[in-house]
Amino acid sequence: MKDALKKKGMFVKKLSNQGEFFRKRWEKEFASALSASQKKKIYMDQFLWHAFSYEKLPCLQGEQAIQAFEQQIKNDCYLLFEHDERVLQLSKCKHLTTRRSASDEEAQRRPGKAKPNGGVISGSAHVSDLFVFKLD
């Protein structure tokens, strides 16, 4: 993944053993309005996105969410994974997109070429099954 992002002109810095720290930071930044009891009821300890899928916090969905992400100025951001200690700090990430390129689709069809759970990073640096966020 790191090499594919670098090929797109992004600067990538791996932050070792920082997953828990950044997930807590994400939770503080985006889900601080939820009480500990609410977080427990929606199993947010298992998946951070439950804050949105259980409709406890407002969010954009579908094409509206994709368009909003695509329109964001993405100079610097972090990639963190739901159940992993890996965190990637990205700079110059204007090519980070939700869209899959034709080469991504082809990689998905070839056994052994795609990342598990659809997490393909190539073509136009498509990202899935992980969180991307900016902190000011």
Side-chain angles (χ1 to χ4, degrees):
M1 176 184 304
K2 189 174 175 180
D3 291 336
L5 293 168
K6 284 182 176 183
K7 284 180 185 177
K8 293 296 164 193
M10 297 179 216
F11 294 113
V12 181
K13 180 179 179 183
K14 183 178 179 183
L15 305 177
S16 299
N17 300 315
Q18 295 291 307
E20 182 66 21
F21 171 77
F22 275 91
R23 283 188 293 276
K24 291 292 182 193
R25 193 170 167 187
W26 184 96
E27 188 175 340
K28 181 180 174 186
E29 189 73 24
F30 296 102
S32 61
L34 299 178
S35 68
S37 168
Q38 288 173 304
K39 290 174 186 177
K40 186 175 180 176
K41 286 179 186 174
I42 62 172
Y43 308 100
M44 208 168 114
D45 59 323
Q46 294 176 18
F47 296 104
L48 295 174
W49 53 265
H50 280 174
F52 305 107
S53 65
Y54 277 81
E55 299 181 350
K56 297 299 180 185
L57 296 173
C59 66
L60 300 176
Q61 297 181 30
E63 191 59 35
Q64 202 176 23
I66 291 168
Q67 287 178 8
F69 180 82
E70 298 298 338
Q71 292 172 3
Q72 281 290 312
I73 297 171
K74 296 176 282 286
N75 293 321
D76 301 301
C77 64
Y78 296 94
L79 299 183
L80 61 137
F81 302 81
E82 192 66 67
H83 300 288
D84 197 322
E85 284 304 302
R86 291 180 295 166
V87 175
L88 299 178
Q89 181 180 9
L90 305 179
S91 298
K92 294 181 69 177
C93 49
K94 65 182 178 183
H95 297 296
L96 192 63
T97 181
T98 61
R99 308 285 182 203
R100 288 182 190 252
S101 70
S103 61
D104 290 334
E105 296 298 331
E106 181 60 26
Q108 286 286 61
R109 288 191 286 275
R110 285 183 277 145
K113 298 293 182 183
K115 301 285 185 196
N117 300 320
V120 175
I121 301 289
S122 72
S124 39
H126 172 267
V127 178
S128 66
D129 295 331
L130 49 88
F131 285 91
V132 179
F133 71 101
K134 299 186 325 181
L135 293 173
D136 297 324

